[in-house]
Amino acid sequence: MSDYLKNGYLTLEDISPPDMERLEKGPVAVIECVQEIPCNPCSDSCHRGAITMKTSINDRPDIDYKLCNGCGICVANCPGLAIFLIDQSYSETEALVGLPYEFLPLPEAGEKVMLLSRQGEVCGEGVVQKVRNTRAMDRTPIVFISMRKDLAMTVRFFRR
Ligand code: SF4
Ligand code: SF4
């Protein structure tokens, strides 16, 4: 574990991301929730039973990547904005990353944005491909941004 409480951000060593074989199969949720707090909308909302809390609501969520189909319902239901969608199968050269986004105005498809890492550092440029914002998704918009494949596990926010 990194010293995320002191640093204020997570690193890859704090999470258990899917392996490359799963990432390349299609969209999948990546959970970046490390604190033991009484919270479980992620597991309650997943109709495929992919997310479980091992022994109690205070546990960190555990995800079975084989069951996850990348529908995004848990992303919209997480009050901590701690779940992201990664699709490494998007194209030969680009990944599509879905980020929960609770600011207005919402970006529109075609908009170019600056990509930010977990630390808030600019790490490239991406293009908004779509914004999903429906009642079924609890009205938390998910912004889908195409970017270089190698950035998909680094980018976790964007600047307009
Ligand atoms: S993306 Fe869909 S299938 Fe995957 S864990 Fe979230 S709710 Fe479940
Ligand atoms: S809903 Fe979000 S904040 Fe709550 S346990 Fe699940 S991933 Fe963590």
Side-chain angles (χ1 to χ4, degrees):
M1 279 279 197
S2 71
D3 197 353
Y4 61 86
L5 285 177
K6 182 173 164 220
N7 298 333
Y9 57 82
L10 300 180
T11 68
L12 267 183
E13 72 179 86
D14 301 313
I15 59 177
S16 305
D19 60 25
M20 195 43 81
E21 189 184 354
R22 173 62 190 89
L23 284 168
E24 286 175 349
K25 275 187 182 154
V28 64
V30 172
I31 302 179
E32 305 197 6
C33 174
V34 295
Q35 291 200 287
E36 296 183 346
I37 50 171
C39 183
N40 70 349
C42 52
S43 62
D44 270 3
S45 64
C46 178
H47 302 303
R48 297 174 66 87
I51 304 178
T52 49
M53 323 300 283
K54 278 202 178 98
T55 56
S56 85
I57 193 174
N58 290 309
D59 287 338
R60 292 170 53 172
D62 196 38
I63 180 166
D64 184 339
Y65 293 121
K66 291 193 292 298
L67 295 177
C68 175
N69 66 358
C71 69
I73 289 172
C74 60
V75 179
N77 277 274
C78 169
L81 307 183
I83 311 180
F84 308 90
L85 284 180
I86 311 293
D87 183 4
Q88 287 281 13
S89 69
Y90 180 63
S91 83
E92 283 292 311
T93 55
E94 291 190 310
L96 191 67
V97 175
L99 305 168
Y101 189 78
E102 292 189 323
F103 296 91
L104 293 173
L106 289 170
E108 293 186 2
E111 185 173 332
K112 284 188 181 166
V113 293
M114 274 195 286
L115 303 171
L116 302 178
S117 68
R118 293 180 186 83
Q119 297 97 312
E121 291 168 351
V122 175
C123 46
E125 193 176 74
V127 179
V128 175
Q129 296 298 334
K130 60 185 174 183
V131 179
R132 205 193 288 167
N133 184 20
T134 64
R135 189 174 297 177
M137 302 295 280
D138 206 29
R139 288 283 180 210
T140 294
I142 303 175
V143 177
F144 290 86
I145 301 174
S146 59
M147 63 189 72
R148 277 186 3 232
K149 276 181 189 279
D150 63 305
L151 292 177
M153 288 307 295
T154 300
V155 171
R156 289 298 175 263
F157 204 62
F158 62 92
R159 189 187 299 156
R160 304 174 69 186

